[in-house]
């Protein structure tokens, strides 16, 4: 019986020491793993932030380029008929949009929906302006009609989308 008691006197403290070492080692490994995760997140954030800011910049440029006044000034060609100018304007908007389509992964869904709405509303405004013209109208007549439609809008959807984009950028950065 003395051997059992002596054995327990030796095994019990050794077991407790081993268990304490196990807990300490596990705690140390958990902290190291957490530190590595934080480090990896930090590196990822360092590479994603410039991409997100670039996406916001590109989308701001998209919105500026498709706003009716900038679009018309950039593409104005007096020799075009109203119908030809309409096709040119709509094609340019769609090309700009398609060129920047991948930027949606860096912004919120709400902002992307506003940008799409701004684009769709701009195309709709151009089409409505062209629809109200005579078949023989010139591009200048379409320009005048578009500006009249834009001035008649309560809120320009492109300007609204641009202001929301700026707000989202300042919110995150």
């Amino acid at each position: 019986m003395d051997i059992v008691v002596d054995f327990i006197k030796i095994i019990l403290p050794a077991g407790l020491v081993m268990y304490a070492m196990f807990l300490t080692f596990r705690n140390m490994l958990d902290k190291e793993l957490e530190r590595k995760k934080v480090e990896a997140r930090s590196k990822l954030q360092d590479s994603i932030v410039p991409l997100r800011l670039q996406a916001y910049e590109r989308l701001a440029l998209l919105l500026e380029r498709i706003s009716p006044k900038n679009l018309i000034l950039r593409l104005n060609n007096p020799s075009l008929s109203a119908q030809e100018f309409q096709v040119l304007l709509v094609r340019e908007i769609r090309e700009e949009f398609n060129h920047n389509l991948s930027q949606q992964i860096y912004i919120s869904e709400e902002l992307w929906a506003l940008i799409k709405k701004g684009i769709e509303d701009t195309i709709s405004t151009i089409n409505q302006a062209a629809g109200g013209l005579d078949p023989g109208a010139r591009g200048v007549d379409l320009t005048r009609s578009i500006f009249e439609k834009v001035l008649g809008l309560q809120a320009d959807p492109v300007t609204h989308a641009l202001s929301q984009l700026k707000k989202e950028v300042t919110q995150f950065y």
Side-chain angles (χ1 to χ4, degrees):
M1 188 77 163
D2 281 340
I3 292 178
V4 173
V5 172
D6 287 340
F7 188 68
I8 290 175
K9 285 180 184 178
I10 294 171
I11 294 295
L12 187 61
L16 289 174
V17 168
M18 292 272 287
Y19 183 67
M21 285 177 51
F22 167 74
L23 290 177
T24 303
F25 189 68
R26 187 176 72 177
N27 189 23
M28 189 175 67
L29 285 177
D30 287 346
K31 285 183 180 179
E32 182 66 20
L33 181 63
E34 188 62 33
R35 188 182 66 75
K36 294 276 187 187
K37 284 181 182 177
V38 167
E39 188 177 298
R41 263 189 242 128
S42 175
K43 284 182 181 178
L44 181 64
Q45 189 72 358
D46 289 346
S47 64
I48 286 182
V49 167
L51 291 174
R52 286 190 77 187
L53 285 174
Q54 183 182 30
Y56 284 116
E57 290 170 358
R58 286 183 62 180
L59 291 171
L61 183 61
L62 163 71
L63 291 169
E64 286 292 341
R65 288 178 62 86
I66 66 150
S67 72
K69 65 179 181 190
N70 294 331
L71 188 64
I72 289 170
L73 287 174
R74 192 173 70 250
L75 300 175
N76 192 18
N77 184 347
S79 65
L80 295 176
S81 70
Q83 185 180 10
E84 292 168 330
F85 196 43
Q86 173 193 9
V87 169
L88 177 65
L89 293 172
V90 171
R91 185 179 62 224
E92 181 70 16
I93 291 171
R94 289 200 171 115
E95 285 175 4
E96 287 284 341
F97 177 70
N98 289 335
H99 181 70
N100 291 289
L101 201 54
S102 64
Q103 303 307 311
Q104 68 181 299
I105 64 173
Y106 297 107
I107 64 173
S108 70
E109 288 184 37
E110 295 81 18
L111 179 58
W112 182 248
L114 281 174
I115 290 171
K116 283 182 17 181
K117 182 177 179 350
I119 290 167
E120 291 164 3
D121 288 352
T122 302
I123 290 172
S124 176
T125 300
I126 292 168
N127 290 336
Q128 288 173 4
L133 296 175
D134 295 329
R138 305 297 311 151
V140 175
D141 300 323
L142 177 59
T143 299
R144 186 177 314 111
S145 181
I146 291 171
F147 283 136
E148 288 172 1
K149 294 262 185 219
V150 169
L151 289 175
L153 295 174
Q154 289 181 349
D156 179 16
V158 171
T159 304
H160 177 65
L162 186 58
S163 71
Q164 290 302 111
L165 184 141
K166 290 175 183 177
K167 188 183 290 184
E168 189 169 303
V169 169
T170 58
Q171 189 177 31
F172 287 115
Y173 306 103

